[in-house]
Amino acid sequence: MSMWLQKQIQLNPRTRGFHLVTDEIALQLPELKNFNIGLMHIFIQHTSASLTVNENADPNVRQDFETYFNHSVPENELYYRHRDEGADDMPAHLKSSLLDNNLTIPVTNGCLNLGTWQGIYLCEHRNDGGSRKILITVHGE
């Protein structure tokens, strides 16, 4: 029997950087155990943070991501016109668009079916981004 679930969850505030949030998301979705097979769509409801899936073991990977994006999209560029919310704001919007605002992850036997070394990252691009709202939609059986 086909089922749908849609739920908004809140992630704890994080400092600027790339943070593993797989467990935090899964803990807020006890309903996931009702799905034997399906797809979970994750959408972040913000324009200055993003989501991605990547290495979940070595914290150096997350630091390298932050270093790379800060180098690729620097603050205080003279050509930025949107400057009202601080030096980190326009770069945060650009980084968010480069990474993305949503993920689709398979669900198998009530669990996220990620690879052995994969985890969900919250990519916080603001110095003080605050808590982040995530809309989860699951469809399956």
Side-chain angles (χ1 to χ4, degrees), residues 11 14-19 43-52 88-89 91-102 121-126 129-134:
L11 298 179
R14 301 278 195 319
T15 58
R16 183 166 156 171
F18 290 72
H19 308 278
F43 177 78
I44 190 165
Q45 297 179 302
H46 301 275
T47 61
S48 57
S50 54
L51 299 168
T52 195
D88 65 335
D89 188 41
H93 294 311
L94 293 169
K95 293 171 187 177
S96 176
S97 287
L98 288 170
L99 282 159
D100 214 346
N101 58 16
N102 71 96
Y121 286 15
L122 167 66
C123 314
E124 179 55 69
H125 306 302
R126 297 296 309 268
S131 62
R132 298 300 191 169
K133 294 178 185 173
I134 306 285

Side-chain angles (χ1 to χ4, degrees), residues 77-126:
E77 290 294 336
L78 297 177
Y79 53 82
Y80 293 155
R81 296 172 67 179
H82 177 72
R83 299 168 180 252
D84 296 344
E85 298 176 52
D88 65 335
D89 188 41
M90 189 60 219
H93 294 311
L94 293 169
K95 293 171 187 177
S96 176
S97 287
L98 288 170
L99 282 159
D100 214 346
N101 58 16
N102 71 96
L103 301 170
T104 301
I105 298 174
V107 175
T108 306
N109 298 322
C111 297
L112 299 177
N113 196 342
L114 292 164
T116 301
W117 304 110
Q118 290 183 320
I120 301 169
Y121 286 15
L122 167 66
C123 314
E124 179 55 69
H125 306 302
R126 297 296 309 268

Side-chain angles (χ1 to χ4, degrees), residues 5-17:
L5 166 69
Q6 189 167 75
K7 183 177 185 180
Q8 184 184 70
I9 65 171
Q10 193 121 350
L11 298 179
N12 293 322
R14 301 278 195 319
T15 58
R16 183 166 156 171

